Structure formats: C-alpha cells, structure tokens
Amino acid sequence: MLRSAVEGDTAWAEWYWFGTHRDGTQFGMRGVSIVGVQADQIKWARLYMEPVSASSE
C-alpha cells in the first residue's frame, strides 16, 4: 500500500502489486481500492487496477 485515507465510512488506498508468474515472467499492477465500511466490516468495495511494468516503482 502506497497511500491511504479515510473519510467517514469510506476508505481509499493506492496499491502497487508486483511479483513473478509461474512461468518466470514478472508482473506489476497499480491502482486504487475504495471500500465502504459499516460496523467495522467492509460492506462494498471497488478495485481499479491496471497492469504496469514490474520495474515502474
């Protein structure tokens, strides 16, 4: 997680995921997640992710 913020019952987080596929090729994903929280539980979530070069940090 690169950054996060909370406003009321909505939380936002910026992500950078990277790793290696089973065939040895690298992958990278960047994006944000937005979640709605109620009574300390996630009630809904949206992920907005897209592939990027694994070395684009």
Side-chain angles (χ1 to χ4, degrees), residues 11-34:
W12 167 94
E14 180 183 4
W15 298 93
Y16 174 48
W17 302 328
F18 60 93
T20 306
H21 292 286
R22 288 184 183 198
D23 66 4
T25 60
Q26 293 184 334
F27 73 89
M29 299 288 284
R30 280 189 182 261
V32 298
S33 62
I34 304 170

Side-chain angles (χ1 to χ4, degrees), residues 9 34-46:
D9 60 358
I34 304 170
V35 298
V37 179
Q38 186 178 48
D40 294 328
Q41 294 184 347
I42 295 173
K43 292 298 179 180
W44 59 267
R46 302 288 185 270

